[in-house]
Amino acid sequence: MPSSASVPARVQPLAVAARVIMLALVAALTLIATRDVAQLRWIALLLVAALPAFVAPDHPFYTPLGRVAEVAVTGLAAGSIAAAADVTGTVDAGFGAEAVLPYLAVPLLTAALRRRPTEGAALLGVAAVTMVVGGFAAGDPSALTQPGYLAAGGQWLVLGAIVTFAADTMRQLMQPADQTPQPYAEATRLLTQLRSVARSLPGATLDPGGISEHLLEELRVVAPGHRAAVLSGSGGGRLVVLAQTGAERVDWEVTLDADSAIADAWATQQPQTASRSQARSHRGGDASSLVVPLVAGVRTIGLVILEADVPQAYPGAVVGRVTEVTGPAALRLEAALLFDEVRSLATNEERQRLAREIHDGVAQELVMVGYGIDNAQATLPEGAEETAEELRTLRGEVTRVITELRLSLFELRSEVDRNGGLAAAIAEYARTLGTSAGLRVHFTFDESTARLPAATEAELLRIAQEAITNARKHAGASNLWVTCTVDPPYAEIEVSDDGKGFADDRPDGRYGLSIMAERAERIRGKLRITPRHPSGTTVAVVLGSSARRDSVRDSVSAPEGE
């Protein structure tokens, strides 16, 4: 028929196997109960009724009809087999019916799994009617009155009803949980929890640098030494220095593929002691070091390095006291690093969103305004010189605003490349803006191979961008000097110009200064703005300790009132 030709035959191996096994089971039980091979004709009829389920399981007409036929044959067979078993005396009528009634579960379960409760109810009615008809048709109606037959029939009707109406619930319970990700809903839930937790923390701080410095202060009490540092992972098999103490900055080994106690502690998650310094350049002499991993759960999130210029400075008792301090600190540091990462991701996403909106919105509209002015100029009548001059002035102003918008888009999209580094990002920005303003840009870079945390580098880049932008827009300078010194955890960015200097009446006013000061405070740095001799302004941000100082608190501060 055409309808059958339009439905593809998709054989389902599990369904076929279930029916074949059940047919074989009821055939064996029928022979045992009746010892009459002729009763196997019912098994043959069941096989014929099951053919649509074998060859066209998704057909909208033949497959349901086949299930009705299976139930009907099973009910009729129950009466016939029960009567035959009662006549032979092998078993009573109830056990005879039990030989074939288990097959009822197959069509009823199939209908239930296909979410057809109405069909399942109809099949139950067909089963009840055919059980009665089968008993009468067998020629021995007395079998119907036996308690065993009635109990068997009632039992399988109840089981069939349970299968029909409880299968949907069972399927939901057995179905694996929906693994479809809901990123925004999950992010909202987690960020809400994070906000609540952050507000309840002592000091309401989640600053990795502050937590690291506090940890070093705690360790100084239990294990005095000459140098100490906290390092965290940054990806790519490298570490970044979050905080350190000591008379001088130390060039710590920050690669995890080197032969060092640092790499061993990271890999084994166990404290490591060594009779040499973990710095890449050490002046020699006696030294002993202790490297303790900061483990949160099963993940190493950082390392604590303690060093002393004496041999055997860290015996087992000292190591035990140190690990008692670093254990709880690991969880605090992990929370701070995760918060820093989430904040950076959110900030970058917002900057990209703003860039897209500006580019697709006001920037395009300004371009259309410029085209409109050009058209107006082209259609001016002769002699309208005054109007033409006004339009040229207006066109120049629109062009200037479009240029400013493009530079703002470049600023929004600028990021620190994890391969290029902070100095490269600042140089690219300064070179681009210097070219647009006709500034001669002079660079001085002294950047260590070690890296600052990504969030810290991003804030330093934004401070440098603000300083460079202010010099381009408002200083009227001819030259721009950009100095970048990075030696983690120390960093200093300095931007100088030879313009007219900083004054309260400049359009950028105190707003740009407050933005830079807030950014510097966020990374625990200090902002310094000073006049440059003989003219101009110098803006510098200092992060961490200088070469001969022990704490960032000794760094130069901005003058009061700025």
Side-chain angles (χ1 to χ4, degrees), residues 253 255-265 272 274 276-280:
E253 177 59 65
T255 59
L256 294 176
D257 54 1
D259 182 16
S260 65
I262 291 177
D264 293 341
Q272 303 290 324
R276 60 184 178 88
S277 173
Q278 299 304 303
R280 285 179 290 189

Side-chain angles (χ1 to χ4, degrees), residues 317-448:
V318 174
V319 174
R321 292 197 299 269
V322 169
T323 54
E324 288 179 0
V325 175
T326 59
L331 186 58
R332 296 196 298 269
L333 182 59
E334 183 188 36
L337 291 171
L338 288 174
F339 182 77
D340 227 24
E341 184 177 359
V342 169
R343 183 170 56 188
S344 296
L345 291 173
T347 301
N348 290 337
E349 176 61 26
E350 183 65 11
R351 295 179 72 89
Q352 298 302 319
R353 185 189 67 80
L354 286 174
R356 290 192 299 269
E357 288 190 0
I358 293 173
H359 179 271
D360 298 336
V362 64
Q364 300 300 326
E365 292 175 3
L366 281 173
V367 170
M368 296 304 297
V369 170
Y371 290 156
I373 295 173
D374 292 339
N375 291 335
Q377 284 182 298
T379 57
L380 279 177
E382 294 184 5
E385 293 298 331
E386 184 177 350
T387 303
E389 180 62 27
E390 291 178 356
L391 288 176
R392 280 193 292 271
T393 302
L394 182 59
R395 186 64 174 90
E397 186 64 18
V398 170
T399 301
R400 184 191 67 79
V401 173
I402 292 174
T403 301
E404 291 292 335
L405 276 178
R406 287 173 176 168
L407 292 174
S408 296
L409 291 176
F410 176 68
E411 178 180 350
L412 286 171
R413 290 171 173 168
S414 296
E415 295 182 8
V416 180
D417 188 348
R418 295 309 296 169
N419 296 319
L422 176 62
I426 294 176
E428 180 185 10
Y429 184 79
R431 190 179 296 112
T432 301
L433 264 69
T435 301
S436 69
L439 284 172
R440 183 179 293 106
V441 184
H442 310 269
F443 298 106
T444 303
F445 294 148
D446 181 11
E447 190 174 28
S448 168

